[in-house]
Amino acid sequence: MKHNSLKRMTLTLAFAIISVLAASAQQGLNIDNVFKRYGHAKGCKMVELHDTKLRGYELKVYKSLTYKNLQPSIDPYLKADKKKAKKIREVVENGRVVSGYYMMPPAGGGMNRYILFSNPRGSGGAVIYIEGALSPDDIMKLCYS
C-alpha cells in the first residue's frame, strides 16, 4: 500500500516538474510577455506545440502568434531580446526591419532558442518562438525552403 502511494506521488511530482519546464521554455526572454499578454487577445491567433516535428525537424517547443494592429506594442519586446541575441538576421526594406530571427542563448540541455518575426505591413505580423536542436542553417531552411 505504501509502495503504490509513493509511486503515485513520485509520478505526480514528475508531471508537475515537466509542466513547469514546458511552461517556462521562453522564460527569461521578453517575447514570453508577448505570448502571455496577446496570446488570447481579440484579433490574435496563438499556436503552441511541444515535442513535435516541423518539416522533418524535431522541436521541443513551437509557439506562434499572428496579430493585427499591434506592431508598435510588440516592437519593444523584440528590441529588448535583440540586445541579448547571440546571432541576428534581419531583412530591411525601405529602412524598416520587416522580418528576421534572433538566436538567443541556449536553454538547458543545449537546446537552441530562436525568435522569428515578420511584420511586412507595419501594423500586423507574426512572432514565432522555436526551441530545439536546430542550427541557424536549419532555421534558414525552415523559413525559406
Side-chain angles (χ1 to χ4, degrees), residues 23-44:
S24 65
Q26 69 276 353
Q27 191 171 10
L29 301 179
N30 290 286
I31 203 68
D32 185 37
N33 294 321
V34 171
F35 291 110
K36 286 179 181 174
R37 190 170 195 183
Y38 302 110
H40 301 288
K42 186 176 180 180
C44 295

Side-chain angles (χ1 to χ4, degrees), residues 84-143:
K84 296 183 272 180
K86 292 180 62 175
K87 186 169 189 154
I88 298 168
R89 292 273 172 116
E90 296 177 325
V91 175
V92 178
E93 288 181 6
N94 299 320
R96 190 175 71 78
V97 177
V98 295
S99 65
Y101 79 81
Y102 304 142
M103 181 179 186
M104 304 309 293
M111 289 287 139
N112 288 326
R113 303 185 302 168
Y114 297 91
I115 298 169
L116 294 81
F117 59 93
S118 175
N119 57 341
R121 296 178 300 280
S123 64
V127 177
I128 299 171
Y129 172 81
I130 292 178
E131 184 176 314
L134 289 89
S135 70
D137 287 340
D138 294 334
I139 288 293
M140 294 303 288
K141 288 176 191 171
L142 259 175
C143 294

Side-chain angles (χ1 to χ4, degrees), residues 48-54 56-62:
E48 183 172 356
L49 304 170
H50 295 271
D51 299 316
T52 191
K53 277 191 176 188
L54 179 64
Y57 294 97
E58 291 192 25
L59 307 178
K60 184 167 178 64
V61 179
Y62 172 92

